Amino acid sequence: MTETDLEIAPQYDLSAVVIPLLKGVIYQESDGALWSGLMTLQARVRDYIAVLGLELVLDEAEGYAFLRSVQVAGDPDEVEPKLPRLITRRPLSFPVSLLLALLRKRLAEFDRGGGDTRLVLSREDIVELIRVFLPQSSNEARLIDQIETHINRVVELGFLRKLKTSSSQAATFEVRRILKAFVDAQWLSEFDSQLAEYRRQLAGNVEVEE
Protein backbone atom coordinates (compact mmCIF):
# COMPACT_ATOMS: atom_id res chain seq x y z
CA MET A 1 0.00 0.00 0.00
CA THR A 2 1.41 3.38 -1.01
CA GLU A 3 1.43 6.57 1.04
CA THR A 4 -1.33 7.92 -1.22
CA ASP A 5 -3.44 4.82 -0.52
CA LEU A 6 -3.05 5.41 3.20
CA GLU A 7 -4.20 8.98 2.81
CA ILE A 8 -7.43 8.05 1.01
CA ALA A 9 -8.20 4.85 2.93
CA PRO A 10 -11.33 5.24 5.11
CA GLN A 11 -10.74 5.55 8.83
CA TYR A 12 -12.56 3.12 11.08
CA ASP A 13 -13.17 3.45 14.81
CA LEU A 14 -12.65 0.30 16.87
CA SER A 15 -15.62 1.00 19.14
CA ALA A 16 -17.90 1.53 16.12
CA VAL A 17 -17.12 -2.04 15.06
CA VAL A 18 -17.07 -3.79 18.45
CA ILE A 19 -20.33 -2.32 19.77
CA PRO A 20 -22.49 -3.71 16.90
CA LEU A 21 -20.77 -7.09 17.38
CA LEU A 22 -21.67 -7.06 21.07
CA LYS A 23 -25.28 -6.41 20.06
CA GLY A 24 -25.53 -9.25 17.57
CA VAL A 25 -24.55 -10.58 14.16
CA ILE A 26 -22.96 -8.37 11.48
CA TYR A 27 -23.90 -9.18 7.89
CA GLN A 28 -21.91 -7.97 4.91
CA GLU A 29 -25.06 -7.53 2.82
CA SER A 30 -26.75 -5.40 5.47
CA ASP A 31 -23.97 -2.89 6.16
CA GLY A 32 -21.08 -2.86 3.71
CA ALA A 33 -19.27 -0.01 5.48
CA LEU A 34 -19.38 -1.74 8.85
CA TRP A 35 -18.19 -4.97 7.25
CA SER A 36 -15.27 -3.15 5.63
CA GLY A 37 -14.39 -1.68 9.00
CA LEU A 38 -14.39 -5.14 10.56
CA MET A 39 -12.12 -6.47 7.80
CA THR A 40 -9.72 -3.57 8.32
CA LEU A 41 -9.65 -3.83 12.12
CA GLN A 42 -10.04 -7.58 12.43
CA ALA A 43 -6.78 -8.17 14.32
CA ARG A 44 -7.45 -5.31 16.74
CA VAL A 45 -11.02 -6.52 17.30
CA ARG A 46 -9.77 -10.00 18.18
CA ASP A 47 -7.21 -8.61 20.63
CA TYR A 48 -9.76 -6.33 22.27
CA ILE A 49 -12.55 -8.87 22.74
CA ALA A 50 -10.08 -11.51 24.00
CA VAL A 51 -9.72 -9.41 27.15
CA LEU A 52 -13.47 -9.86 27.65
CA GLY A 53 -13.29 -13.64 27.26
CA LEU A 54 -14.79 -13.51 23.77
CA GLU A 55 -13.73 -14.67 20.33
CA LEU A 56 -14.70 -13.51 16.85
CA VAL A 57 -16.38 -15.98 14.51
CA LEU A 58 -16.04 -14.58 11.00
CA ASP A 59 -16.98 -16.24 7.70
CA GLU A 60 -15.87 -14.08 4.80
CA ALA A 61 -17.33 -16.46 2.20
CA GLU A 62 -20.80 -16.39 3.74
CA GLY A 63 -20.54 -12.76 4.84
CA TYR A 64 -21.32 -12.85 8.56
CA ALA A 65 -19.54 -12.32 11.87
CA PHE A 66 -20.49 -12.67 15.54
CA LEU A 67 -18.97 -13.03 18.99
CA ARG A 68 -19.04 -16.01 21.31
CA SER A 69 -17.54 -16.86 24.66
CA VAL A 70 -14.16 -18.57 24.58
CA GLN A 71 -14.78 -22.21 25.47
CA VAL A 72 -12.72 -24.61 27.52
CA ALA A 73 -11.37 -27.35 25.27
CA GLY A 74 -13.73 -30.31 25.30
CA ASP A 75 -16.42 -28.59 27.36
CA PRO A 76 -18.79 -26.29 25.41
CA ASP A 77 -20.59 -25.32 28.64
CA GLU A 78 -17.49 -23.83 30.26
CA VAL A 79 -15.75 -20.63 29.22
CA GLU A 80 -12.09 -19.75 29.56
CA PRO A 81 -10.93 -17.79 31.43
CA LYS A 82 -13.36 -17.86 34.39
CA LEU A 83 -15.20 -14.63 33.63
CA PRO A 84 -18.87 -13.63 33.76
CA ARG A 85 -20.53 -14.68 30.50
CA LEU A 86 -21.18 -11.63 28.28
CA ILE A 87 -22.91 -13.58 25.52
CA THR A 88 -26.15 -14.97 26.88
CA ARG A 89 -26.96 -18.63 26.32
CA ARG A 90 -30.65 -18.92 25.45
CA PRO A 91 -32.35 -22.28 26.02
CA LEU A 92 -34.54 -23.40 23.12
CA SER A 93 -37.69 -25.46 23.18
CA PHE A 94 -37.63 -28.83 21.46
CA PRO A 95 -39.81 -27.69 18.50
CA VAL A 96 -37.58 -24.67 17.88
CA SER A 97 -34.44 -26.82 18.06
CA LEU A 98 -36.06 -29.31 15.69
CA LEU A 99 -37.00 -26.55 13.25
CA LEU A 100 -33.44 -25.21 13.28
CA ALA A 101 -32.10 -28.68 12.51
CA LEU A 102 -34.61 -29.19 9.69
CA LEU A 103 -33.74 -25.83 8.17
CA ARG A 104 -30.03 -26.65 8.41
CA LYS A 105 -30.62 -29.95 6.63
CA ARG A 106 -32.63 -28.19 3.94
CA LEU A 107 -29.83 -25.66 3.51
CA ALA A 108 -27.28 -28.45 3.07
CA GLU A 109 -29.47 -30.07 0.40
CA PHE A 110 -29.91 -26.70 -1.29
CA ASP A 111 -26.15 -26.09 -1.37
CA ARG A 112 -25.54 -29.48 -2.97
CA GLY A 113 -27.83 -28.39 -5.81
CA GLY A 114 -25.32 -25.72 -6.79
CA GLY A 115 -27.95 -23.15 -7.75
CA ASP A 116 -28.81 -19.82 -6.15
CA THR A 117 -26.95 -18.78 -3.01
CA ARG A 118 -30.13 -17.77 -1.16
CA LEU A 119 -32.55 -20.36 0.15
CA VAL A 120 -36.02 -18.81 0.28
CA LEU A 121 -38.98 -20.75 1.69
CA SER A 122 -42.63 -19.85 1.96
CA ARG A 123 -44.41 -20.07 5.28
CA GLU A 124 -46.24 -23.11 3.92
CA ASP A 125 -42.92 -24.77 3.04
CA ILE A 126 -41.72 -24.36 6.62
CA VAL A 127 -45.00 -25.56 8.09
CA GLU A 128 -44.84 -28.74 6.01
CA LEU A 129 -41.19 -29.18 6.92
CA ILE A 130 -41.89 -29.53 10.64
CA ARG A 131 -45.51 -30.63 10.99
CA VAL A 132 -44.79 -34.30 10.24
CA PHE A 133 -42.52 -34.37 13.30
CA LEU A 134 -45.05 -32.86 15.70
CA PRO A 135 -47.77 -34.77 17.57
CA GLN A 136 -50.93 -35.15 15.51
CA SER A 137 -53.77 -32.85 16.47
CA SER A 138 -57.48 -32.78 15.71
CA ASN A 139 -57.28 -29.00 15.92
CA GLU A 140 -55.54 -27.97 12.71
CA ALA A 141 -55.79 -24.24 13.40
CA ARG A 142 -54.15 -24.64 16.79
CA LEU A 143 -51.33 -26.71 15.31
CA ILE A 144 -50.64 -24.07 12.65
CA ASP A 145 -50.65 -21.34 15.31
CA GLN A 146 -48.07 -23.30 17.32
CA ILE A 147 -45.86 -23.70 14.26
CA GLU A 148 -46.21 -19.97 13.53
CA THR A 149 -44.93 -19.29 17.06
CA HIS A 150 -41.89 -21.50 16.43
CA ILE A 151 -41.19 -19.77 13.11
CA ASN A 152 -41.39 -16.34 14.75
CA ARG A 153 -38.95 -17.49 17.43
CA VAL A 154 -36.45 -18.58 14.76
CA VAL A 155 -36.86 -15.17 13.11
CA GLU A 156 -36.10 -13.51 16.47
CA LEU A 157 -32.97 -15.64 16.80
CA GLY A 158 -31.77 -14.38 13.41
CA PHE A 159 -31.74 -17.70 11.54
CA LEU A 160 -34.71 -16.74 9.33
CA ARG A 161 -35.29 -13.36 7.72
CA LYS A 162 -38.80 -12.46 6.71
CA LEU A 163 -38.83 -10.96 3.22
CA LYS A 164 -40.99 -8.04 2.23
CA THR A 165 -44.06 -9.04 0.23
CA SER A 166 -47.29 -7.37 -0.74
CA SER A 167 -50.42 -7.96 1.33
CA SER A 168 -51.73 -10.32 -1.37
CA GLN A 169 -48.59 -12.49 -1.40
CA ALA A 170 -47.78 -15.38 0.91
CA ALA A 171 -45.08 -14.73 3.52
CA THR A 172 -41.59 -15.88 2.52
CA PHE A 173 -38.40 -16.28 4.51
CA GLU A 174 -34.70 -16.44 3.73
CA VAL A 175 -32.75 -19.08 5.64
CA ARG A 176 -29.73 -17.17 6.96
CA ARG A 177 -26.46 -18.94 6.28
CA ILE A 178 -25.18 -18.21 9.77
CA LEU A 179 -27.23 -21.27 10.76
CA LYS A 180 -24.30 -23.35 9.45
CA ALA A 181 -22.13 -22.00 12.27
CA PHE A 182 -24.54 -23.23 14.93
CA VAL A 183 -25.55 -26.62 13.51
CA ASP A 184 -22.30 -28.18 12.31
CA ALA A 185 -21.79 -30.83 9.65
CA GLN A 186 -20.88 -33.57 12.14
CA TRP A 187 -24.14 -33.16 14.00
CA LEU A 188 -26.03 -32.98 10.73
CA SER A 189 -24.56 -36.31 9.60
CA GLU A 190 -26.28 -37.98 12.56
CA PHE A 191 -29.52 -36.10 12.10
CA ASP A 192 -31.36 -38.67 9.95
CA SER A 193 -30.97 -41.44 12.50
CA GLN A 194 -31.99 -39.09 15.31
CA LEU A 195 -35.12 -38.08 13.43
CA ALA A 196 -35.98 -41.70 12.65
CA GLU A 197 -35.79 -42.55 16.35
CA TYR A 198 -37.91 -39.55 17.27
CA ARG A 199 -40.58 -40.50 14.73
CA ARG A 200 -40.71 -44.03 16.14
CA GLN A 201 -41.24 -42.61 19.61
CA LEU A 202 -43.86 -40.22 18.30
CA ALA A 203 -45.74 -43.05 16.56
CA GLY A 204 -45.93 -44.89 19.86
CA ASN A 205 -47.15 -41.89 21.80
CA VAL A 206 -49.59 -39.94 19.63
CA GLU A 207 -51.11 -36.96 21.41
CA VAL A 208 -54.49 -35.82 20.16
CA GLU A 209 -55.56 -32.34 21.24
CA GLU A 210 -59.19 -31.28 21.46
Side-chain angles (χ1 to χ4, degrees), residues 17-45:
V17 175
V18 172
I19 290 174
L21 279 169
L22 288 170
K23 291 182 176 180
V25 182
I26 289 179
Y27 291 101
Q28 182 179 16
E29 65 180 8
S30 300
D31 193 331
L34 179 59
W35 184 262
S36 296
L38 175 59
M39 294 299 99
T40 301
L41 300 175
Q42 182 180 160
R44 291 179 60 194
V45 169

Side-chain angles (χ1 to χ4, degrees), residues 153-169:
R153 177 59 174 149
V154 175
V155 171
E156 291 174 4
L157 292 169
F159 298 117
L160 281 176
R161 180 167 70 95
K162 188 175 182 179
L163 303 178
K164 293 182 179 180
T165 57
S166 67
S167 58
S168 60
Q169 293 178 309

Side-chain angles (χ1 to χ4, degrees), residues 3-71:
E3 184 175 345
T4 301
D5 292 331
L6 290 173
E7 290 175 355
I8 65 175
Q11 298 299 310
Y12 298 103
D13 179 47
L14 181 62
S15 61
V17 175
V18 172
I19 290 174
L21 279 169
L22 288 170
K23 291 182 176 180
V25 182
I26 289 179
Y27 291 101
Q28 182 179 16
E29 65 180 8
S30 300
D31 193 331
L34 179 59
W35 184 262
S36 296
L38 175 59
M39 294 299 99
T40 301
L41 300 175
Q42 182 180 160
R44 291 179 60 194
V45 169
R46 292 184 186 278
D47 289 343
Y48 180 82
I49 63 173
V51 177
L52 304 175
L54 302 173
E55 63 181 351
L56 174 67
V57 178
L58 187 152
D59 191 319
E60 293 188 53
E62 301 289 5
Y64 63 76
F66 62 94
L67 302 180
R68 68 182 176 194
S69 299
V70 177
Q71 299 172 348

